[in-house]
């Protein structure tokens, strides 16, 4: 990744990359997960998580504004030395690889379950990695354009989810906070899970064309994520009964079965096929930024070779092992704990450390 003008991304492209990572594959099971933890008050947990996410995102912007033309790796190198930068590069690489792998496997399992039941999971992964290579090999700006196209082609999705509301039962939402705040607080960790992905700002920040609007842009991105998650969750809550919603693994898909057209028999199958574009935003940017981290460690001038090696490792590794649905759920729960530490705790801790360093340097200079 180069800092040249040809690799700059617009504010809209950043919003769509970030939101795409947050609402990719993970939102399909979100209504069920929130219901299991917080009941029909899970939507309140989402709003609280949005507020926490905005604070953490603004902390990242505040940190990155100290070195506008560099990434987190450059910032930590200048403050803590080369070993601090290298440690951060390795940690960020592992985290983004975990993020991308979890998204890719979940997409593969959903595709196999709903679209290609007779096709092996390994072949599905290969078919997904081919367009991944085509899109990401040209750089972050092309990924931004891909996110724009994906966003444009996905504008119809919210309107489809309006159709089940004709059979909605709004009384399912009552009473609000009927069991107090304990269930709502229990849903917070899983609400934070659906906002994970904004830590890519640590790498994307220097490639924003207009850094002065970075705080506004990241707030808009997280707000868009909230609205999408909140909308789909509320539709599932008012359509399914409280006893029914927990029986579906991906209620955001099952709710579409109520939709019937004379020319389409199973709308949910078409939905998943078209939604694969949004699924791909869960791993394409993450894998490219993994290549950036390894490229930064080696000091080379291009991420292409690193990206090719990374895809080759994924393809060969998937031939020998692919997690089952249950194993992938365990991986996601572990990823939730790691993600909260990386994307929420670390930015706030780093901001405090930088503030203390500034205070100490001022005292020495006084």
């Amino acid at each position: 990744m180069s800092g040249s003008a040809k690799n700059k991304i617009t504010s809209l492209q950043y919003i769509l990359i970030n939101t795409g990572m947050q609402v990719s594959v993970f939102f399909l099971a979100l209504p069920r997960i929130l219901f299991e933890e917080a009941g029909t008050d899970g939507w309140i947990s989402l709003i609280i998580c949005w507020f926490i996410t905005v604070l953490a995102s603004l902390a990242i912007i505040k940190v990155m504004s100290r070195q506008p033309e560099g990434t987190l790796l450059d910032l930590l190198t200048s403050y803590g030395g080369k070993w601090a930068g290298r440690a951060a590069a390795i940690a960020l690489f592992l985290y983004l690889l975990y993020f991308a792998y979890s998204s890719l496997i979940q997409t593969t399992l959903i595709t196999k379950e709903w679209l290609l039941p007779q096709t092996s999971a390994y072949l599905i992964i290969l078919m997904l990695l081919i367009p991944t290579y085509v899109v990401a090999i040209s750089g972050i700006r092309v990924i931004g354009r891909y996110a724009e196209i994906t966003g444009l082609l996905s504008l119809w999705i919210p309107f489809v989810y309006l159709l089940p509301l004709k059979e909605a039962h709004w009384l399912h939402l009552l009473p609000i906070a009927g069991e107090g705040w304990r269930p709502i607080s229990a849903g917070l960790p899983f609400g934070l899970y659906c906002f994970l992905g904004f830590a890519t700002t640590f790498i994307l920040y220097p490639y924003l064309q207009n850094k002065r609007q970075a705080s506004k842009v990241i707030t808009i991105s997280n707000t868009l994520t909230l609205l999408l998650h909140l909308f789909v969750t509320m539709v599932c809550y008012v359509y399914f009964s409280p006893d029914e919603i927990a029986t579906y693994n991906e209620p955001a898909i099952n709710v579409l079965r109520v939709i019937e057209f004379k020319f389409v028999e199973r709308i949910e199958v078409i939905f998943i096929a078209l939604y694969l574009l949004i699924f791909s935003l869960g791993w394409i940017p993450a894998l490219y930024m993994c290549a950036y981290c390894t490229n930064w460690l080696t000091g080379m001038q291009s991420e292409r070779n690193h990206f090719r090696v990374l895809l080759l490792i994924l393809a060969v590794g998937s031939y020998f092992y692919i997690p089952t649905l249950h194993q992938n759920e365990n991986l996601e729960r572990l990823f939730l704990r790691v993600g909260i530490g990386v994307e929420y705790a670390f930015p706030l801790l780093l901001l405090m450390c930088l503030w203390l360093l500034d205070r100490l340097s001022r005292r020495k200079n006084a």
Side-chain angles (χ1 to χ4, degrees), residues 146-186:
Y146 176 75
E148 284 182 313
I149 295 174
T150 299
L152 182 63
L153 295 177
S154 305
L155 291 176
W156 59 274
I157 292 178
F159 297 100
V160 172
Y161 275 98
L162 290 174
L163 297 177
L165 291 179
K166 63 184 180 181
E167 299 182 18
H169 301 278
W170 296 94
L171 291 177
H172 291 167
L173 299 176
L174 300 177
I176 297 176
E179 299 182 14
W181 287 95
R182 180 173 297 179
I184 295 174
S185 61

Side-chain angles (χ1 to χ4, degrees), residues 86-129:
R86 291 179 180 178
I90 294 172
L92 197 57
F93 166 78
L94 293 175
Y95 176 72
L96 291 171
L97 182 61
Y98 200 162
F99 188 105
Y101 183 74
S102 181
S103 300
L104 182 61
I105 293 300
Q106 184 71 1
T107 301
T108 300
L109 296 176
I110 291 174
T111 303
K112 182 174 176 59
E113 177 184 359
W114 291 89
L115 298 179
L116 302 171
Q118 303 301 321
T119 306
S120 68
Y122 174 69
L123 288 179
I124 294 175
I125 288 180
L126 285 183
M127 288 188 291
L128 293 175
L129 290 180

Side-chain angles (χ1 to χ4, degrees), residues 46-293:
L46 276 177
I47 295 176
I48 297 173
C49 291
W50 166 81
F51 180 74
I52 298 172
T53 301
V54 169
L55 291 180
S57 301
L58 293 178
I60 293 178
I61 297 297
K62 188 68 175 178
V63 168
M64 296 308 302
S65 64
R66 293 170 177 267
Q67 192 159 356
E69 299 304 320
T71 64
L72 173 69
L73 312 183
D74 302 309
L75 177 70
L76 291 179
T77 300
S78 63
Y79 275 90
K82 63 178 182 179
W83 291 108
R86 291 179 180 178
I90 294 172
L92 197 57
F93 166 78
L94 293 175
Y95 176 72
L96 291 171
L97 182 61
Y98 200 162
F99 188 105
Y101 183 74
S102 181
S103 300
L104 182 61
I105 293 300
Q106 184 71 1
T107 301
T108 300
L109 296 176
I110 291 174
T111 303
K112 182 174 176 59
E113 177 184 359
W114 291 89
L115 298 179
L116 302 171
Q118 303 301 321
T119 306
S120 68
Y122 174 69
L123 288 179
I124 294 175
I125 288 180
L126 285 183
M127 288 188 291
L128 293 175
L129 290 180
I130 292 173
T132 298
Y133 176 82
V134 173
V135 172
I137 199 66
S138 298
I140 192 63
R141 192 173 187 180
V142 172
I143 295 176
R145 290 175 177 174
Y146 176 75
E148 284 182 313
I149 295 174
T150 299
L152 182 63
L153 295 177
S154 305
L155 291 176
W156 59 274
I157 292 178
F159 297 100
V160 172
Y161 275 98
L162 290 174
L163 297 177
L165 291 179
K166 63 184 180 181
E167 299 182 18
H169 301 278
W170 296 94
L171 291 177
H172 291 167
L173 299 176
L174 300 177
I176 297 176
E179 299 182 14
W181 287 95
R182 180 173 297 179
I184 295 174
S185 61
L188 292 180
F190 299 93
L192 293 175
Y193 178 59
C194 70
F195 287 98
L196 294 179
F198 63 91
T200 52
T201 306
F202 280 131
I203 293 179
L204 292 179
Y205 182 81
Y207 305 98
L208 279 172
Q209 286 183 353
N210 192 347
K211 297 181 178 63
R212 293 181 179 179
Q213 295 185 351
S215 297
K216 182 192 299 184
V217 167
I218 201 168
T219 302
I220 293 174
S221 176
N222 289 321
T223 303
L224 180 60
T225 299
L226 169 69
L227 294 176
L228 293 173
H229 282 307
L230 197 60
F231 175 64
V232 173
T233 299
M234 294 291 282
V235 169
C236 292
Y237 279 2
V238 299
Y239 177 77
F240 295 114
S241 68
D243 296 329
E244 186 181 10
I245 188 172
T247 62
Y248 297 110
N249 191 50
E250 291 103 10
I253 299 178
N254 295 96
V255 73
L256 298 177
R257 287 184 170 181
V258 69
I259 303 173
E260 295 182 357
F261 296 109
K262 293 182 180 180
F263 53 89
V264 178
E265 184 175 353
R266 295 185 62 189
I267 188 66
E268 70 274 12
V269 173
I270 297 177
F271 168 81
I272 296 171
L274 295 176
Y275 201 80
L276 285 174
L277 291 171
I278 300 180
F279 286 163
S280 65
L281 291 178
W283 69 80
I284 290 179
L287 286 177
Y288 188 81
M289 283 180 270
C290 284
Y292 169 81
C293 291

